Amino acid sequence: MHHKKPPFIAGNWKMHMTIPEARALVSAVVKASPGLAEAEIVLIPPFTALAEAARLLLDSPVQLGAQNLFYEDKGAYTGEIAGPMLADAGCRYVLVGHSERRQYFSETDASINKKVLAAFRAGLKPIVCIGETFEEREDGRTISRIESQLRHGLVGVTAEAFADIVLAYEPVWAIGTGKTATAAQAEEVQARIRDNLAENYGKEAAACAIILYGGSVKPANSYSLLREKNIDGFLVGGASLEADSFIQITKEAIKAYKEKQ
Ligand code: PGA
């Protein structure tokens, strides 16, 4: 059984990649993976490329994730995809509550909570995304927003579940904008997230939780971000669409992780 470990690098391809394009990208990452064995790598293609990616990843340590799931396990929900279907397609991970889903598809902490529980029922490890908007940061509401997302999004999640859960702190203003949070800005929030987990789930859960940073991660900032104590890895969007930059981000992360041990 594969266990999650830092540095944990996930590539969220969003609504990109045809099946032939996915084949090329997955193959390039698989080819580089022997040199990246110290990292846990998860590729998150669109649904239509999952089967092909799963086939290419069969004997690989690189893991597969999906970008979303519905919170019911089956039924008359046209257009939705259930957790058991994703597990069946070869996924181990699933993104839940990405800010684009919150913004454009009306996802709320309540529906995100149901999705987290649905992921667990299906044996999937949820990568739960949280983060403040620009306005919230300007108003000094970053921490209260994050704490509210954790409180309402993780209802019913036990301390033991933190062995499987991954959190991704993604300041909304940094996603796809080229405006990366500084290492200090990201660390400040991520330290508060870990403190919050310690208060609510205990020290052990907080210590084993993987907390990713996401938002304009690229090869040039991977090292300095990952040197921070509470940044265990990345959720990479744009820079995960090219094998070279995704691989370089992973290499820099491995180097930074070793140095901070
Ligand atoms: P970005 O996206 O790296 O393109 O900013 C990150 C994400 O949305 O997960």
Side-chain angles (χ1 to χ4, degrees):
M1 183 61 196
H2 211 77
H3 288 289
K4 66 184 172 57
K5 62 175 186 224
F8 184 108
I9 314 293
N12 170 17
W13 297 1
K14 307 192 180 182
M15 200 171 72
H16 296 285
M17 299 284 151
T18 60
I19 292 172
E21 287 166 348
R23 193 180 296 139
L25 184 48
V26 172
S27 304
V29 174
V30 166
K31 194 165 161 233
S33 62
L36 308 172
E38 288 157 281
E40 169 105 28
I41 300 176
V42 182
L43 298 181
I44 310 181
F47 292 127
T48 46
L50 286 176
E52 181 66 2
R55 194 181 64 77
L56 295 167
L57 294 176
L58 252 192
D59 298 313
S60 163
V62 175
Q63 303 282 303
L64 189 63
Q67 296 177 18
N68 185 29
L69 82 169
F70 190 53
Y71 52 69
E72 296 293 345
D73 298 337
K74 63 178 177 192
Y77 301 101
T78 302
E80 293 296 321
I81 293 188
M85 294 171 174
L86 297 177
D88 181 46
C91 294
R92 278 277 166 74
Y93 289 89
V94 61
L95 282 181
V96 179
H98 190 279
S99 67
E100 286 152 14
R101 301 230 37 104
R102 294 178 189 256
Q103 248 179 306
Y104 308 135
F105 303 99
S106 313
E107 295 206 4
T108 62
D109 289 329
S111 63
I112 287 162
N113 181 225
K114 288 187 189 177
K115 291 184 173 195
V116 170
L117 300 176
F120 281 130
R121 282 197 305 278
L124 297 165
K125 300 174 201 273
I127 302 176
V128 184
C129 305
I130 55 178
E132 82 286 3
T133 62
F134 181 72
E135 292 71 32
E136 287 162 345
R137 175 161 282 260
E138 290 286 287
D139 292 351
R141 287 187 287 127
T142 297
I143 300 300
S144 64
R145 179 73 181 120
I146 298 290
E147 290 186 343
S148 155
Q149 287 173 330
L150 288 172
R151 187 165 61 248
H152 297 111
L154 300 181
V155 178
V157 170
T158 61
E160 292 70 43
F162 282 89
D164 288 324
I165 212 162
V166 176
L167 292 175
Y169 168 57
E170 299 203 303
V172 177
W173 47 271
I175 296 177
T177 57
K179 285 189 213 148
T180 319
T182 64
Q185 277 174 326
E187 170 62 18
E188 184 191 2
V189 178
Q190 302 204 188
R192 290 295 290 264
I193 294 171
R194 206 175 305 272
D195 287 348
N196 183 282
L197 298 183
E199 278 160 34
N200 293 307
Y201 301 94
K203 284 213 166 67
E204 210 175 306
C208 81
I210 296 273
I211 308 176
L212 311 180
Y213 167 78
S216 299
V217 174
K218 32 190 180 261
N221 56 31
S222 167
Y223 177 84
S224 64
L225 284 162
L226 210 117
R227 279 299 300 256
E228 297 292 339
K229 182 161 180 267
N230 290 289
I231 300 181
D232 302 317
F234 301 123
L235 182 53
V236 187
S240 74
L241 297 176
E242 293 209 348
D244 286 352
S245 54
F246 186 67
I247 291 163
Q248 199 52 39
I249 286 169
T250 307
K251 284 187 178 157
E252 296 289 334
I254 291 171
K255 189 167 129 214
Y257 184 70
K258 271 191 196 153
E259 288 180 20
K260 73 175 173 179
Q261 288 312 291

